[in-house]
Amino acid sequence: MTANPHPHADPDCRAVSELLGRVGDKWTVLIVKALVEKARRFNELKREVGGISQQMLTRTLRTLERDGMVARTVHPTVPPAVEYALTDLGRSLAVPVLALADWTFAHLPQIHAHRAAYDAAESQAA
């Protein structure tokens, strides 16, 4: 058996790459983090995930629903109340996603300090 000279040409590699891009997206991480606590309505999610546009929230929720990570429930009220919740698959994604989010928040000051030092050194070298 010969090695594939173009591993990303493999359909499985493309699928994994696409999915990693989606689940590693900042909006996905923040939405999953918000939904771990409880099911939420759209506007509640929008408030919880600061800085996300209505269009991006809609797009990300639809993608997560399509992938089976988020369930959308429409309650028969007037007007209809729509709630979003993590599915079992979404809850399993929450474990690594929350670990990544926690790591990011814990190390943010350190990363900012390193960026500032790097940028200062680069501007002196230029």
Side-chain angles (χ1 to χ4, degrees):
M1 182 167 110
T2 59
N4 185 346
H6 303 288
H8 294 291
D10 183 309
D12 287 340
C13 285
R14 283 196 308 268
V16 167
S17 179
E18 175 197 359
L19 194 56
L20 284 174
R22 183 172 311 125
V23 300
D25 172 79
K26 72 177 178 179
W27 298 125
T28 297
V29 170
L30 294 172
I31 289 168
V32 168
K33 186 173 180 352
L35 290 176
V36 161
E37 299 166 13
K38 64 178 184 173
R40 296 182 188 266
R41 292 178 66 173
F42 186 88
N43 285 328
E44 186 182 5
L45 259 177
K46 191 168 183 319
R47 282 190 301 275
E48 185 74 20
V49 180
I52 191 168
S53 69
Q54 184 168 334
Q55 180 183 7
M56 183 55 70
L57 179 56
T58 299
R59 184 181 307 151
T60 306
L61 285 168
R62 282 185 182 153
T63 300
L64 289 170
E65 184 181 8
R66 180 175 180 243
D67 288 344
M69 293 181 222
V70 167
R72 180 179 182 268
T73 304
V74 180
H75 299 283
T77 59
V78 178
V82 179
E83 232 176 29
Y84 297 90
L86 291 178
T87 63
D88 288 341
L89 182 61
R91 288 196 184 288
S92 71
L93 172 65
V95 174
V97 162
L98 290 179
L100 179 60
D102 289 345
W103 181 90
T104 302
F105 288 122
H107 293 88
L108 202 52
Q110 199 176 357
I111 292 167
H112 285 306
H114 284 287
R115 286 179 180 175
Y118 180 89
D119 291 348
E122 284 295 305
S123 68
Q124 287 178 357

